């Protein structure tokens, strides 16, 4: 499987070179397909990749260019060896011949590899449950530091869900409080980034023993790296230490994704209308270093905030909520983000000094004086914007404000 993954990456790179060198008038799928077939005949190590998997690489590469032409993504580029996830696509499901051995394990047929055992984590349409409308259409092999994994593509017919009759809720994504809900049912993973140990901000999903082990491994790696001469090949012991570090990092990443999936599923099941704010996350995590002529301020603090925002994966949370709310019959809406954290959710005014503390909101309006969690205050403002008809409608890649007829945007209520 390692050889197939390397061959698939090389096929992508060869296709990319051939596509960019070929004049635009002569670029076509048929020409690229003929080139792949000839290359598999002439080069032995490219023939390790099954023919169907090579065709899948071509389809994926062409799909990447279509996404570029339609403005949904950047141009496809070269796949480097050490920065690319090793993967192999199996586009035909009829050759997999999936069988279940017992409760925890199953067997699958991998082309040019043979029968392979895999961990059974979800029910698959095999045997009597399989049919034209409920069947396995393919699979994808992916390798990370924890080993090889297989993801099955399944075609199934599901009934259209009934409209969700649950309540409305506004959600504000934060750092101190991961998901603040407007009704006070906040979702916290219990791993605050403001812990006394230095590794808490980076590896807060590891338990104390794992953090101590990670610290020992990093010290060991730094010690062994000090003996390596410039341009000298990395020793086996140092590579082994790096692999152990990556395994702990991958464990933390999986725990974070597991919490995110379970939390978003619970929200989609509970609420019929979910409202979030439209965030431009790439701009939020830009470095504050500045230039030589105009150096930035508080660079270290901004760098720590950027890491915390990236680890919380706000964009993935919205993506999960988008398809999960639709699955359970609910809807997800986005509202403009400006001033949601600065405006008081009780009186509706923006008064200077209300956000002196990062975690607490205290309204400085003499007639109000409301105080509470800052993220909760923002979540209430997000829900209010939706109820005032300020939801955003995506149109041609832009966000358009939808306002209810006869209702003006209010700064006070």
């Amino acid at each position: 499987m390692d050889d197939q993954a390397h061959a698939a990456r090389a096929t992508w790179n060869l296709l990319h070179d051939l596509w960019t060198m070929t004049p635009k008038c002569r670029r076509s799928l048929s020409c690229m397909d003929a080139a792949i077939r000839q290359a598999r005949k002439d080069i032995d190590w490219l023939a390790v990749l099954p023919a169907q998997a090579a065709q899948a690489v071509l389809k994926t590469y062409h799909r990447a260019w279509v996404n570029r032409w339609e403005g949904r993504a950047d141009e496809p580029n070269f796949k480097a060896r050490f920065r690319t996830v090793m993967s192999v696509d199996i586009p035909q499901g009829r050759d997999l011949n999936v069988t279940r051995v017992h409760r925890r394990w199953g067997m699958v047929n991998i082309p040019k590899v043979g029968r392979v055992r895999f961990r059974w984590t979800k029910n698959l349409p095999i045997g009597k449950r399989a049919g034209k409308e409920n069947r396995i259409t393919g699979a994808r092999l992916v390798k990370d530091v924890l080993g090889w994994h297989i993801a099955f593509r399944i075609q199934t017919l599901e009934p259209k869900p009934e409209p969700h009759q649950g309540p409305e809720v506004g959600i504000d994504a934060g750092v101190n409080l991961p998901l603040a809900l407007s009704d006070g049912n906040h979702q916290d993973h219990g791993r605050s980034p403001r812990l006394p140990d230095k590794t808490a901000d980076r590896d807060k999903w590891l338990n104390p023993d794992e953090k101590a082990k990670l610290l020992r491994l990093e010290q060991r790696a730094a010690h062994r790296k000090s003996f390596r001469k410039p341009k000298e090949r990395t020793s086996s012991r140092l590579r082994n230490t790096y692999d152990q570090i990556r395994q702990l990092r991958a464990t933390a990443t999986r725990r974070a994704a597991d919490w995110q999936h379970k939390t978003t599923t619970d929200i989609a099941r509970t609420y019929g209308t979910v409202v979030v704010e439209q965030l431009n996350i790439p701009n939020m995590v830009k470095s504050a270093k500045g230039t030589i002529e105009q150096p930035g301020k508080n660079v270290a603090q901004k760098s720590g905030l950027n890491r915390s925002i990236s680890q919380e994966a706000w964009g993935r949370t919205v993506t999960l909520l988008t398809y999960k709310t639709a699955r359970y019959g609910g809807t997800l809406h986005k509202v403009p983000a400006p001033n949601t954290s600065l405006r008081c959710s009780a009186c509706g005014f923006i008064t200077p000094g209300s956000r002196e503390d990062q975690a607490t909101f205290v309204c400085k309006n003499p007639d109000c004086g409301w105080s509470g969690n800052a993220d909760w205050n923002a979540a209430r403002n997000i829900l209010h914007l939706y109820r005032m008809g300020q939801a955003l409608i995506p149109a041609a890649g832009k966000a358009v404000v939808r306002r209810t007829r006869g209702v003006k945007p209010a700064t006070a209520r």
Side-chain angles (χ1 to χ4, degrees):
M1 288 191 285
D2 286 347
D3 295 339
Q4 290 189 16
H6 288 304
R9 179 184 56 83
T11 302
W12 173 284
N13 292 334
L14 293 173
L15 277 173
H16 182 63
D17 290 340
L18 181 60
W19 183 276
T20 53
M21 290 188 298
T22 304
K24 293 183 179 181
C25 59
R26 299 179 57 185
R27 294 176 183 174
S28 64
L29 286 177
S30 59
C31 295
M32 300 298 152
D33 179 47
I36 289 179
R37 294 176 183 272
Q38 188 63 34
R40 295 184 72 254
K41 293 179 181 179
D42 298 339
I43 306 174
D44 295 337
W45 56 270
L46 277 182
V48 175
L49 186 67
Q52 294 82 5
Q55 298 299 320
V57 174
L58 175 59
K59 291 181 180 179
T60 304
Y61 182 78
H62 184 262
R63 183 73 249 178
W65 274 109
V66 172
N67 293 336
R68 171 64 183 89
W69 297 331
E70 296 178 355
R72 293 195 299 267
D74 296 332
E75 293 184 1
N77 51 19
F78 183 85
K79 288 190 175 183
R81 179 184 180 91
F82 297 105
R83 295 193 302 269
T84 304
V85 178
M86 297 180 62
S87 62
V88 180
D89 199 4
I90 306 175
Q92 295 181 352
R94 64 174 183 268
D95 299 331
L96 294 174
N97 192 17
V98 180
T99 57
R100 189 165 187 173
V101 179
H102 53 79
R103 184 171 62 90
R104 293 188 176 183
W105 293 96
M107 296 287 289
V108 61
N109 185 35
I110 304 299
K112 292 195 174 185
V113 175
R115 299 291 290 173
V116 179
R117 188 176 67 169
F118 67 95
R119 184 68 179 266
W120 196 282
T121 57
K122 282 192 175 182
N123 291 327
L124 298 174
I126 60 174
K128 296 181 180 180
R129 294 195 300 268
K132 292 184 178 180
E133 297 178 348
N134 190 24
R135 58 191 177 90
I136 299 175
T137 60
R140 187 174 182 83
L141 300 170
V142 181
K143 184 181 181 181
D144 60 9
V145 293
L146 299 178
W148 278 98
H149 312 276
I150 184 169
F152 293 97
R153 287 190 296 271
I154 299 175
Q155 176 183 337
T156 182
L157 184 63
E158 295 183 356
K160 185 178 180 179
E162 296 292 334
H164 201 300
Q165 302 299 327
E168 302 173 344
V169 66
I171 299 179
D172 177 72
V175 176
N176 294 319
L177 188 59
L179 295 178
L181 275 62
S182 58
D183 59 355
N185 186 22
H186 308 312
Q187 303 295 322
D188 189 5
H189 45 57
R191 291 171 171 83
S192 174
R194 301 183 181 274
L195 295 178
D197 54 296
K198 297 180 180 180
T199 61
D201 186 34
R202 296 178 300 163
D203 311 295
K204 56 188 176 183
W205 291 95
L206 300 178
N207 57 42
D209 294 337
E210 291 171 337
K211 290 181 181 180
K213 181 180 178 181
L214 178 61
L215 181 60
R216 292 196 304 269
L217 290 173
E218 290 178 340
Q219 293 174 349
R220 186 184 305 169
H223 177 71
R224 290 176 175 174
K225 186 179 179 180
S226 63
F227 294 97
R228 190 179 65 176
K229 298 179 181 179
K231 298 183 180 180
E232 185 180 6
R233 187 176 181 179
T234 305
S235 65
S236 299
R237 291 184 178 182
L238 183 56
R239 286 200 302 269
N240 185 27
T241 305
Y242 284 153
D243 290 341
Q244 295 181 51
I245 293 175
R246 294 191 191 98
Q247 290 176 4
L248 288 175
R249 303 276 191 200
T251 300
T253 301
R254 289 197 171 195
R255 290 174 183 172
D258 178 71
W259 177 87
Q260 210 168 21
H261 272 282
K262 291 179 179 178
T263 304
T264 52
T265 300
D266 182 67
I267 292 174
R269 287 176 176 174
T270 305
Y271 302 98
T273 302
V274 179
V275 188
V276 297
E277 54 185 348
Q278 178 74 32
L279 296 175
N280 192 345
I281 300 177
N283 289 342
M284 297 175 64
V285 296
K286 283 186 177 180
S287 175
K289 185 180 299 184
T291 61
I292 298 178
E293 295 78 10
Q294 296 179 353
K297 298 180 180 180
N298 299 326
V299 178
Q301 292 85 341
K302 183 61 169 64
S303 178
L305 178 62
N306 292 347
R307 287 196 303 269
S308 299
I309 293 175
S310 300
Q311 289 170 358
E312 293 300 335
W314 296 345
R316 185 171 60 186
T317 300
V318 176
T319 301
L320 296 178
L321 285 173
T322 301
Y323 77 83
K324 289 184 179 182
T325 51
R327 176 185 297 173
Y328 292 102
T331 56
L332 183 135
H333 302 275
K334 295 182 180 181
V335 297
N339 298 327
T340 54
S341 60
L342 300 178
R343 179 180 290 112
C344 178
S345 60
C347 65
F349 286 97
I350 300 176
T351 54
S354 298
R355 284 295 305 273
E356 293 180 356
D357 187 7
Q358 183 68 23
T360 307
F361 184 92
V362 180
C363 183
K364 299 299 182 180
N365 184 5
D367 299 332
C368 179
W370 183 87
S371 63
N373 183 275
D375 296 331
W376 181 34
N377 175 74
R380 296 175 61 183
N381 286 327
I382 291 171
L383 181 59
H384 177 72
L385 287 176
Y386 167 74
R387 290 174 175 175
M388 292 294 294
Q390 304 254 344
L392 299 176
I393 303 176
K398 299 181 180 179
V400 181
V401 179
R402 179 185 63 187
R403 296 194 180 114
T404 306
R405 181 173 297 180
V407 178
K408 297 182 180 180
T411 57
R413 64 193 83 148

